[in-house]
Amino acid sequence: MKNQSISDTLKLIKSKKISIKELSNNYINEINKNKDLNAFIYFNEEKILERAEKLDNMKEDLPLKGIPLGIKDLFCTKNMPTTAGSKILSNFQPTYESFVTKKLLNSGALFLGKTNLDEFAMGSSTTTSFFGNTINPVSSENKKLVPGGSSGGSAAAVAANLCLGATGTDTGGSIRQPASFCGVIGMKPTYGLCSRWGIIAFSSSLDQAGIFANNIQDASILMYEMAGYDPNDSTSSNVEIPKYHDNLNSNVDGKIIGIPEEYSLPGISDEINQVWDKAIKVFEKGGAKIKKIKLPHTKYALPAYYIIAPAEASSNLARYDGVKYGFRSENISSLEEMYELTRSEGFGKEVKRRILIGTYVLSAGYYDAYYIKAQKVRKLISNDFRDAFKECDFILTPTTPSPAFPIGEKEDDPIKMYLNDIFTVPASLAGLPGISIPYGTSKEGLPLGVQILSKHFNEQEIFNAGYYLEQNNE
Ligand code: GLN
């Protein structure tokens, strides 16, 4: 099946060249053919066709009418189970729809199913899911690669053309890193642009919904439909959302592109630097000015993130105790045992590690030394970006320090796994918007992405710069 764009698909539907039901059947076939990727962990053909028929019979014209999407299984959905990739929520059926998915449904989108993820979105490989790992579609027959994570199912689904777009969430890189590994576009907007209401919480001060797509236009259409103010999320921003897709403009003449010297890490492979250099040269060709900038506290970003995110996770995950919903251990003889066994049987290894770290850094005596210190570092990192954006319009960096790695690698060394986020975490701590755009390949032919960051709520400029790169990708 050909990889269509959203606007082309909408045209086909509107002109009745294809019905939404036929289109859905095409995608159902693709998903069935690619079951071994394990991109979707929930998928119900009957429900898809029911919705397709309803949309086909609807007179009203809607901006995403019939567009098939994948939904990361961290968004609560009223008509589909929501598991967060965890045993502890393996039987959970929400009674409500998340704000973001509700917006997409109201715009006429057709949800094909729920996509796989690292358990509770903690990870960079989609190997910690209770429902098994996802395989990166760029893998070869004898070398199976991770799709990145935590939104690996969504990235793989878009890359394998199992849907036209997919939602993700990004706390420290979970959209941008898998987008880079799978060769698709991944956009994390400014913290507060998309409501967190109904998204299962990992680290509330960092979690942000975003999108995977095949091209900038599709990404900008979907982002516009997802964004918006929600009084149910106290950190939701009441800002005007421009129609990004109508305003796409690939002119970068005169723009100043910041290149942070701290992102030239010793030991980073040549292939990463080559792709970065290629993007720099292409921007220069378009009349952009390149400026070396400093983000002096970059090296403290990862340690600060791995204190703040687990601290918030330990608090957010306290609610999974077997009382009201989710999995409950069967071997219990007392209330205390119910809590203990439910949590020790229901959570996987990585989630337990985060809860332990988070509880430790929040405990009396360590709170000031770790948690408060990390919050201070977070402020310094935000200040670095604030100062940098006085001198430049965008910041351009690699998205990841390596291409996709084989399944099973880095599994026994959490620090190695955490290093995947080295280029994505700083912007997350500062709440900035960022995109990953596929922009080259490794020596082995694996996709590599570049990351563009800009000021808060400057999504339009990011899409424009991405649009330019997309059109100038030799
Ligand atoms: N890989 C990072 C982590 O494990 C980021 C995850 C995310 O953005 N949800 O925390």
Side-chain angles (χ1 to χ4, degrees):
M1 197 168 60
K2 218 179 116 232
N3 206 336
Q4 296 278 1
S5 71
I6 290 184
S7 51
D8 286 348
T9 308
L10 287 170
K11 272 186 216 144
L12 289 177
I13 295 173
K14 256 193 208 160
S15 61
K16 301 229 171 351
K17 291 217 170 75
I18 191 167
S19 71
I20 297 172
K21 202 166 175 184
E22 276 172 87
L23 183 75
S24 306
N25 269 318
N26 291 346
Y27 280 96
I28 289 172
N29 286 341
E30 289 303 309
I31 295 175
N32 280 328
K33 268 198 263 165
N34 289 282
K35 276 247 155 82
D36 55 331
L37 295 179
N38 200 24
F40 281 90
I41 53 177
Y42 176 82
F43 162 68
N44 182 319
E45 297 184 19
E46 257 168 63
K47 280 194 186 169
I48 297 171
L49 294 173
E50 217 175 275
R51 165 92 174 148
E53 215 169 290
K54 212 169 134 197
L55 288 166
D56 270 328
N57 293 332
M58 191 187 279
K59 294 268 168 309
E60 202 185 338
D61 191 20
L62 296 169
L64 292 178
K65 196 167 169 187
I67 296 300
L69 300 180
I71 303 297
K72 184 179 186 179
D73 203 15
L74 203 64
F75 291 80
C76 285
T77 42
K78 211 171 164 181
N79 294 318
M80 297 186 268
T82 301
T83 69
S86 181
K87 178 176 177 181
I88 215 154
L89 283 177
S90 51
N91 60 3
F92 179 50
Q93 173 57 62
T95 52
Y96 51 88
E97 191 72 39
S98 85
F99 181 86
V100 163
T101 48
K102 194 180 210 159
K103 276 201 99 216
L104 290 169
L105 285 174
N106 288 344
S107 301
L110 189 144
F111 296 170
L112 293 171
K114 304 297 285 285
T115 59
N116 205 3
L117 69 160
D118 279 301
E119 187 180 1
F120 280 100
M122 298 172 190
S124 308
S125 57
T126 316
T127 52
T128 69
S129 169
F130 176 63
F131 303 96
N133 60 277
T134 293
I135 296 172
N136 190 327
V138 305
S139 303
S140 60
E141 211 28 65
N142 44 18
K143 198 173 181 190
K144 298 284 179 237
L145 305 171
V146 301
S150 63
S151 319
S154 287
V158 173
N161 198 25
L162 310 184
C163 51
L164 277 179
T167 64
T169 62
D170 190 311
T171 303
S174 275
I175 292 177
R176 292 161 286 161
Q177 185 255 16
S180 178
F181 277 16
C182 293
V184 296
I185 286 178
M187 170 76 171
K188 173 202 110 75
T190 308
Y191 180 81
L193 192 83
C194 291
S195 167
R196 286 181 295 108
W197 195 82
I199 299 175
I200 293 176
F202 161 16
S203 175
S204 309
S205 76
L206 293 157
D207 297 344
Q208 182 55 210
I211 201 74
F212 293 91
N214 289 307
N215 58 62
I216 291 285
Q217 199 192 30
D218 286 3
S220 57
I221 292 174
L222 293 170
M223 186 53 69
Y224 175 76
E225 297 300 336
M226 290 166 68
Y229 174 63
D230 175 13
N232 284 329
D233 171 0
S234 60
T235 56
S236 168
S237 293
N238 198 350
V239 290
E240 206 190 315
I241 319 282
K243 273 202 163 180
Y244 308 118
H245 42 293
D246 284 351
N247 301 326
L248 283 179
N249 173 350
S250 60
N251 184 359
V252 294
D253 194 16
K255 295 281 181 204
I256 303 174
I257 317 274
I259 306 296
E261 64 186 36
E262 294 78 6
Y263 283 54
S264 296
L265 299 176
I268 200 149
S269 77
D270 284 349
E271 49 197 17
I272 301 289
N273 288 326
Q274 275 159 14
V275 172
W276 194 11
D277 282 343
K278 178 175 124 183
I280 292 174
K281 296 224 167 69
V282 167
F283 270 125
E284 276 182 318
K285 245 196 214 163
K289 307 262 169 310
I290 301 300
K291 189 165 173 92
K292 290 214 157 34
I293 56 160
K294 286 199 163 67
L295 296 168
H297 297 92
T298 299
K299 63 174 180 288
Y300 305 115
L302 212 52
Y305 172 86
Y306 276 99
I307 290 173
I308 294 167
E312 293 183 16
S314 72
S315 162
N316 274 327
L317 271 59
R319 71 191 72 171
Y320 304 106
D321 54 9
V323 176
K324 288 194 178 134
Y325 54 87
F327 163 81
R328 178 187 292 171
S329 171
E330 281 171 3
N331 321 308
I332 45 175
S333 53
S334 68
L335 180 66
E336 226 157 88
E337 224 176 66
M338 180 184 78
Y339 293 146
E340 274 180 26
L341 291 179
T342 294
R343 288 170 69 80
S344 57
E345 290 167 26
F347 289 134
K349 209 167 90 187
E350 183 59 28
V351 172
K352 283 182 195 157
R353 182 175 5 250
R354 307 270 179 133
I355 294 174
L356 288 173
I357 295 172
T359 309
Y360 177 81
V361 298
L362 290 177
S363 54
Y366 298 106
Y367 183 80
D368 288 348
Y370 291 102
Y371 183 70
I372 296 289
K373 194 65 154 259
Q375 293 290 19
K376 288 181 178 165
V377 170
R378 182 174 188 177
K379 181 73 186 152
L380 293 173
I381 288 166
S382 293
N383 291 349
D384 281 357
F385 280 110
R386 186 199 56 202
D387 294 343
F389 284 126
K390 287 181 189 152
E391 302 180 76
C392 63
D393 298 300
F394 312 111
I395 294 175
L396 177 71
T397 79
T399 308
T400 53
S402 76
F405 47 87
I407 288 166
E409 214 179 276
K410 306 183 205 273
E411 247 13 40
D412 46 1
D413 186 346
I415 305 283
K416 267 197 193 147
M417 194 63 97
Y418 298 168
L419 281 169
N420 269 287
D421 307 321
I422 196 142
F423 297 138
T424 48
V425 149
S428 296
L429 289 170
L432 295 168
I435 199 167
S436 178
I437 296 172
Y439 214 61
T441 49
S442 69
K443 281 181 230 94
E444 280 183 76
L446 301 175
L448 290 171
V450 288
Q451 175 180 235
I452 301 173
L453 306 171
S454 192
K455 285 177 232 170
H456 294 117
F457 302 108
N458 222 4
E459 281 75 13
Q460 183 72 58
E461 292 268 18
I462 291 189
F463 282 131
N464 289 353
Y467 199 44
Y468 171 77
L469 276 191
E470 188 176 76
Q471 290 176 355
N472 293 276
N473 189 3
E474 303 90 52

